[in-house]
Amino acid sequence: MRAHKALESEDTKEAQWEATRGAAVGAVKWGAASAVLGGIGYVFSPLYRGLTIQFKVYLQMSGMIVGSMIEADYRMRQYEQRVRMQRRIARDRAVWADYEKELMEMEDEARPPDQRKK
């Protein structure tokens, strides 16, 4: 059963910001690559030079959008993996702490009454 206001949790907000940062970085990286390819196309290709400015802008924006989607997805997968690892570590620490507590109680019970910890 889903929790109420699940999209307002702290984990969800962190995931959203991580995806946003990834999208921005991806748009910049792929936008720069698209600009370089556009420059190369302009210098070497008469076909590219003959395109309208609107289509050239469309090609540039397409590269930026694809890059932002790829990078946002990559960052989200990394974030999910990191959160899973942190939760696994916390769960293992809790199990280990319970084990240590139980072991200390067993050792305390095995001692003579006058040597027990208080």
Side-chain angles (χ1 to χ4, degrees):
M1 189 172 217
R2 290 185 176 223
H4 295 290
K5 298 183 180 182
L7 294 178
E8 295 178 12
S9 71
E10 198 62 36
D11 285 341
T12 305
K13 288 180 182 178
E14 287 180 34
Q16 290 170 350
W17 277 111
E18 189 67 28
T20 302
R21 284 190 292 270
V25 168
V28 168
K29 285 196 307 193
W30 284 63
S34 295
V36 168
L37 291 174
I40 291 170
Y42 188 80
V43 169
F44 293 110
S45 174
L47 177 67
Y48 186 82
R49 282 193 297 266
L51 297 175
T52 63
I53 188 69
Q54 293 90 349
F55 193 68
K56 290 176 187 175
V57 169
Y58 169 75
L59 292 174
Q60 177 73 25
M61 287 175 51
S62 297
M64 293 174 72
I65 290 169
V66 167
S68 67
M69 289 187 308
I70 291 171
E71 188 70 24
D73 182 60
Y74 175 72
R75 293 274 184 110
M76 279 301 297
R77 286 185 281 124
Q78 281 187 329
Y79 176 79
E80 289 171 357
Q81 184 179 14
R82 187 171 58 243
V83 168
R84 272 192 229 111
M85 185 62 67
Q86 289 171 350
R87 288 181 181 166
R88 183 180 305 138
I89 289 171
R91 187 176 57 240
D92 290 347
R93 283 184 182 161
V95 168
W96 188 255
D98 288 343
Y99 172 73
E100 287 178 338
K101 183 179 176 184
E102 184 180 330
L103 185 62
M104 294 293 272
E105 290 172 358
M106 289 174 55
E107 287 177 353
D108 195 37
E109 290 173 1
R111 291 186 184 148
D114 58 336
Q115 293 181 354
R116 289 186 184 167
K117 292 182 180 177
K118 294 182 181 179

